Amino acid sequence: MKKLLVGLETGATGLLALAAALLTVSESVLRYIAPTKLPDWGAEVTIYLVGWAVMLSASRLIRDRMHVNVEMLSERMTPGLQKGLQIFACLFGVAVSTCIAFAGWQMVDFALLLGERSDSSIRFPMWAYYSAIPVGFGLCSATYFWQLGCLLLKRKD
Amino acid sequence: ADYKLTVTLDTSPQHVRNVWLKDFAKAIEDKSSGRLEIEIFEAAAKYKDSEAAAAVAQGAIDIAMPQYQLISRFVPESDFEQLPMFYGLGRDEIYAAVDGEVGQDLHKRIEDKLRVKVLGRPIDLGFGTVFSTDVELKTPADLAGLKVRVPGGPATVQRYETMGSVPVQISWPDVPQALQTGTVSSLWATQESVASAKLWDAGVKYAMEDRQAIVQYVPLINQRSFDKLPEDLQTVLLSTWDEMVDGQRDFAAERQQAARDLNAKNGIVTSDPSEEALVEMRQKLLAAQPGLVDELGIDPDFITKLSAAIGK
Amino acid sequence: MLLTSVLILFFLLLLAGVPIYLVLSGLAAMVWLVEGDPLVSLGQQYANHLNSYTLVAVPLFVIAATFMQRGGVARALIDMASAWVGRTRGALGIVCILATAVFAAISGSSVATALAIGAVLIPAMRDRGYPISFATGTIGAGGTLGILIPPSLAMLIYGIIVDESVPRLFLAGVVPGLIQAALLIAYVRFFAVRNNLPVEDKLDRKQFIRANVRAMPALLVPVIILGGIYSGLVTISEAAGLSAVVALIVSLLFYREIKLLDVLPILADGVRQTGVIIFIVLGALTFAHWLTGAGVTRVLVEFVESMDLSAWEFLIIANLIMFILGMFLEVISVILIFVPLIVPVILQLDIDPIHFGVILVVNMEIALLTPPVGMNLFVLKSVANTGIEKVIKGMVPYIILMLFLLVFITFVPAVSTWLPNLVFGAR
Ligand code: NA
Ligand code: NA
């Protein structure tokens, strides 16, 4: 189950990034050979692809401890204190990510209500892009919650 | 002050809109005997204009004055000034439509959708002008074949496609380089933007004022922020705005003329095409209008009213 | 009052080991709640800041660097440099600077540069008996060229904030970057002669040619990217996409150190490395949005005006602040927190934003090397598998050298502005 999720995350973010790279390159090539055929939505769609890719990687960033933090103080503490700080960081993570996920969900709701669309000719419904924010921070929240559970139940995650 | 309203602008302190708004804020303070203060956040310190309408609707800021075009993501009709039927019109013809019933219709749509109040008639930045590096522009037909830097938006893009030029979207800071490397040989901007960026240094030599589209800013205030004000202050706000709009529009036009003179001093030759040439181009552009209206999702009834108002 | 508590909280949370992105986001959320601003606009801030075309270049440049890091590009560059300077004393040290300088012209990130070159050179230097602290110091300092020599993620993000032309900024880093490389080589030579470091084996003609030919595709990448940008054929974001695709092709077809099945995982890994940056960007910009609204910028501008500082005096103070922030924060966070606050002051004092951008980047190079939070320190600690104390010790002479460079760059604006003005015309 876990393996499947990890594979899905890798596949999805990888494909989104590949699409973004190919789209930007084909844009520059197209501008050179057939400028009149250049669509006006290339840059915009690239943003959507990259935005979603990054937000989907949120959970993995936390699990692999890729985020930058200052460890020089905590490194010198007793194991008990260290664990206390870890629990605090997880609680803080759950609180903050849930708050931003909620705010993001409100924004999606607002965009749906107003029927906000992008400026280009595809008139992309903005809620579909905005959803990346609540999804990303929702993933953060769930991951911190999971880690909190593991810490409290003394299990390895 | 008993009451404070915050305003977001993404233009710099010397910009015509910022300069005038400070006068407006001063006038409000005087007329309210200091009870109502207007606090201005400039240079995108708070929001870019493209984000400003949503910010007002969400109540994150009290007032914004974005270009009409930037509200089209919520109310498609706000793209009206970009439509072919506006090509080549003079200021008075445009004001007659915008300040009249059609304008009110549009403002009603904006108010209903965003739950904001439109403070009054829009203020001006002025007409866009086309500039070019080595092709002398005398009539709209001269634009055919040029690569033109445009600010974006489907209507603007389509206008250039119909004219036979290639619209290219490049961010403003990269424009000088794009002109020098020949990525574009032309751009659509205001006389003032070209003067303040000293684009004559980047090789701009010619300009043409075919009045393709005017840029106007529409003042939006969050409905709750407005309702919080006592009635007399609401009246001060609305009446002061209405009194000062005409002066602002003349001020904006003077600023564009001054910039045109400055550009001329630096070797940029601006031409004004004949009325016949403008009409001819408008006819050509109009053929594409129904498709554009459809693509933009504009209410056909609105277009009917608009056509009646400007008589084209 | 709120501001003071927020700043105290900021450092407390940081010291408690909470990740920077979470600290920034947490404070942003907190001030939103305290000030009673609608929560929906907090979400909107995140979406607005993510909605930037220039920001798209960040993951694409990182992906390119990841491919080149795994795909044998670093090895080819090192072999070529070694073929040229192998017979001088302390050759591997000089090879390191040359290879990092070239790799920097491909990659926009210092960490990626230090990682790519370090992974190959640290074992080699250890085998030849180079002191480990010297090895890590040289690679760490050379790696910082990644954000000075274009392309540069740091300049890209600075350009987004100050709305300055990114190609101009990129060009401004070239001369300072070459000066830095020369300074580093001079120090390596000095150290090598004093400590009698070894030379490398002499290559025969065939080996020499082979080493050069093998490096050609790697050298082609910066030519394509930078050539594309400066001829105006591609935008920055397109150049980033192009470099990702070219790096993919080069490492897949030419060096063959990665297989087709590795492609998606490497792409995903590039996205994750970017995620680290972008989550900080979102938190920092949202937090900075509040700082601006709270009038901090205005107070700062008024303060500088009241002090009647000259541009030079201001730059010295700004450098000190950036140096201290750079000790504790990661580079992108410093840029995102500090720059929006002082842009109005820079403009007020008539300092060229291009010049300031280079000052900022050189300062951030130093930040990568200074404890307690220096990304290059962490990377080298793990690559060299040694204690952080050794890595820090080796960094000291290079930090001093870099401080000299910083002073020079600060007081001689022409070093930064000469090349961009030459190419794009003076302003
Ligand atoms: Na670089
Ligand atoms: Na540091």
Side-chain angles (χ1 to χ4, degrees), chain C residues 189-201:
Chain C
R189 271 293 290 168
F190 166 78
F191 186 92
V193 171
R194 233 173 63 155
N195 293 276
N196 204 18
L197 294 181
V199 297
E200 299 302 302
D201 300 332

Side-chain angles (χ1 to χ4, degrees), chain A residues 4-5 11-13 32 49 69 85 87 96 107 110 124 139 142:
Chain A
L4 180 76
L5 283 177
T13 50
Y32 196 61
L49 292 169
N69 63 347
L85 279 183
I87 291 175
V96 173
M107 160 188 63
F110 190 82
F124 191 81
L139 283 171

